[in-house]
Amino acid sequence: MKSTGLNFHHLYYFWVVAKEGGVTRAAERLGVAVQTISMQLSLLEQAIGKSLLTQQGRRLVLTEAGRMALGYADQIFLLGEQMQEALAENDIGRTIRLTVGISDALPKLVAYRLLETVQQMPDKVRLTCYEGKFETLLADLALHKLDLVLTDRPVSPGTSLRVFSHLLGECAIMLFGIPALAQKYRENFPASLNGAPLLMPTRNSAVRGQVDQWFEINDLHPEIVGEFEDSALLKTFGRSGLGLFPAPSLLATDIEAQFGAVPIGELPGVQEQFYGILTERKIKHPAVEAILSAAHDGFIKPA
């Protein structure tokens, strides 16, 4: 059936039915008759050309098309709510909104150092941060749900997404540990690492492969006692003394202050890189431009 166009009023009724779990509860929430809801749903299904809901016993459940439609409806009405909130603000026109996705593999201290630049801007910035997996954040960026993604790797050249990577900086990697472990393994480093307990990022981290290769080249065989997707959680376990862990050398002071861990030794040749990913080659967002400019000017100095 050919589509006759989408009526967002009908879509809103469908969205409320899906959220409330039934027509009766949706009618109560909206203050309309059950028959009105049913009619709106019927008109929406006619316009789309697919059934969105089906009866399963005494329950009304989403079809596959309904689940897909609900995903889009969630985005549409969430954006609508955000628009209303933004337009209702008294300082509209004077506040810059910046929405950033932070890869779970990126050290949170690095993310903070990059983002604290916006606090120094003459205009007020309202910052919203989301953490997630690299691929999920790129998809959200491509849908313009994010202004910027901060991560530890560039976008693959073969991606179909129109997004662009900007190298912000790179830094040497060191092994850290609480003072008791540092005293034990600093002597005769790196040979002392044979059999040493080690906390590592999972293999979806860009730096993990480099660290593994460094150990292999140097014929070292530490014991991996934990693997973590989240860099802050890795350091938290490191604070407990469970094992040594790799981290950027530029964070040494922060790591000691927050996690009580000190440097044990550098891994020569192992570098962690930091990237900002955008949907445009030309930077248009003033806060994003400030972040990238600060990094390029030596905010995070290349090793």
Side-chain angles (χ1 to χ4, degrees):
M1 183 184 295
K2 185 178 179 180
S3 172
T4 58
L6 182 63
N7 184 307
F8 285 91
H9 186 69
H10 300 163
L11 182 64
Y12 181 71
Y13 275 48
F14 159 73
W15 185 63
V16 175
V17 169
K19 293 297 183 183
E20 293 294 330
V23 172
T24 301
R25 291 176 61 181
E28 292 173 354
R29 171 176 164 179
L30 295 170
V32 298
V34 169
Q35 293 80 358
T36 301
I37 298 284
S38 299
M39 183 181 298
Q40 302 292 327
L41 291 177
S42 177
L43 290 171
L44 177 63
E45 290 180 331
Q46 289 178 36
I48 292 176
K50 293 182 182 295
S51 296
L52 303 177
L53 296 152
T54 186
Q55 201 73 34
Q56 193 174 86
R58 301 180 64 180
R59 296 172 57 243
L60 197 62
V61 299
L62 293 168
T63 63
E64 184 61 35
R67 284 190 288 272
M68 182 180 295
L70 179 59
Y72 284 104
D74 280 337
Q75 295 181 41
I76 290 168
F77 295 117
L78 175 61
L79 284 172
E81 291 173 0
Q82 291 175 345
M83 181 189 72
Q84 287 181 308
E85 291 176 3
L87 293 174
E89 292 178 357
N90 293 328
D91 57 355
I92 186 169
R94 299 191 301 272
T95 300
I96 299 171
R97 302 174 71 90
L98 176 64
T99 306
V100 180
I102 301 172
S103 170
D104 51 16
L106 184 75
K108 303 305 175 287
L109 292 170
V110 169
Y112 169 74
R113 290 210 183 172
L114 287 166
L115 293 175
E116 69 176 348
T117 303
V118 302
Q119 300 172 7
Q120 303 163 12
M121 294 181 63
D123 296 316
K124 183 179 178 183
V125 178
R126 180 171 176 177
L127 177 64
T128 304
C129 294
Y130 295 97
E131 183 182 6
K133 296 187 181 302
F134 180 72
E135 294 78 9
T136 302
L137 294 177
L138 289 189
D140 287 343
L141 180 68
L143 292 171
H144 302 286
K145 294 166 69 175
L146 301 171
D147 298 309
L148 171 70
V149 170
L150 297 177
T151 183
D152 64 339
R153 74 189 74 175
V155 176
S156 170
T159 183
S160 60
L161 300 175
R162 286 190 57 80
V163 293
F164 305 94
S165 304
H166 297 258
L167 178 63
L168 303 181
E170 54 187 10
C171 176
I173 293 295
M174 303 184 76
L175 284 183
F176 292 80
I178 61 170
L181 290 178
Q183 184 177 8
K184 180 176 180 180
Y185 294 105
R186 191 177 284 154
E187 186 177 351
N188 200 28
F189 180 89
S192 59
L193 297 177
N194 274 315
L198 190 65
L199 305 173
M200 289 281 275
T202 53
R203 296 187 185 278
N204 65 345
S205 165
V207 78
R208 171 64 186 268
Q210 294 186 61
V211 175
D212 284 341
Q213 186 178 33
W214 187 86
F215 283 126
E216 183 177 348
I217 290 173
N218 289 278
D219 195 26
L220 297 171
H221 305 281
E223 179 186 0
I224 298 178
V225 296
E227 297 179 272
F228 304 85
E229 278 192 334
D230 184 86
S231 61
L233 184 60
L234 184 153
K235 295 178 182 68
T236 300
F237 273 80
R239 178 170 57 192
S240 73
L242 184 63
L244 312 177
F245 59 90
S249 59
L250 66 87
L251 300 180
T253 301
D254 296 313
I255 289 173
E256 182 172 5
Q258 292 191 27
F259 301 99
V262 295
I264 294 171
E266 185 176 325
L267 308 185
V270 180
Q271 302 277 329
E272 181 154 22
Q273 296 181 317
F274 313 114
Y275 288 87
I277 302 178
L278 308 172
T279 54
E280 301 286 346
R281 287 189 184 276
K282 185 177 180 181
I283 304 167
K284 298 179 180 179
H285 195 297
V288 172
E289 185 175 10
I291 291 168
L292 269 60
S293 295
H296 293 156
D297 290 344
F299 184 64
I300 291 183
K301 297 182 184 299

